[in-house]
Amino acid sequence: MAEPEFTATGVRIGKRLRSLTRAGQVRISDGRLQLLTSYGSEIDSAPVQAVRASTPWFVPDDRALADVNGTRYLLTLGERDPAPGRPGPPAARRFVEAVRRAAGGGGG
């Protein structure tokens, strides 16, 4: 299996007003996006080309939206990337860039 192109841990994943996990994982590997619980169980996954990711203007900077298989998820990542060697989720903006890059849409 190839090295993941993007991995974020400690991510809060919600659907509508319901929180699905408070310490989940977001992975992009082999052209596929996976949303996982803190225990590693899959919440949802799809080919990256079928995923729409954005950072909408009406939510705080640490949040991103991901439309996966027709379901909109609210991901709470970080406002900024953690310091090198420090734990914590990367910035929401970096997630959106990673989805676009993996889908072949360029970096920025």
Side-chain angles (χ1 to χ4, degrees):
M1 180 182 252
E3 191 68 26
E5 291 116 51
F6 179 87
T7 302
T9 57
V11 178
R12 173 172 274 181
I13 301 172
K15 184 164 95 173
R16 297 192 184 246
L17 297 175
R18 188 171 145 230
S19 178
L20 301 174
T21 183
R22 288 155 80 210
Q25 240 188 44
V26 177
R27 295 186 60 172
I28 298 174
S29 182
D30 297 328
R32 196 158 183 82
L33 172 81
Q34 290 182 299
L35 303 177
L36 306 168
T37 67
S38 55
Y39 298 108
S41 300
E42 188 173 283
I43 296 170
D44 208 344
S45 71
V48 173
Q49 291 86 355
V51 174
R52 206 173 77 205
S54 61
T55 51
W57 60 271
F58 57 87
V59 297
D61 288 341
D62 64 345
R63 300 204 179 129
L65 290 175
D67 287 329
V68 182
N69 296 321
T71 302
R72 179 169 289 172
Y73 295 95
L74 178 62
L75 310 175
T76 304
L77 293 115
E79 281 188 43
R80 60 185 70 85
D81 290 328
R86 304 289 259 159
R93 189 177 311 116
R94 206 171 108 210
F95 163 72
V96 173
E97 290 168 3
V99 169
R100 291 181 182 152
R101 209 173 29 252

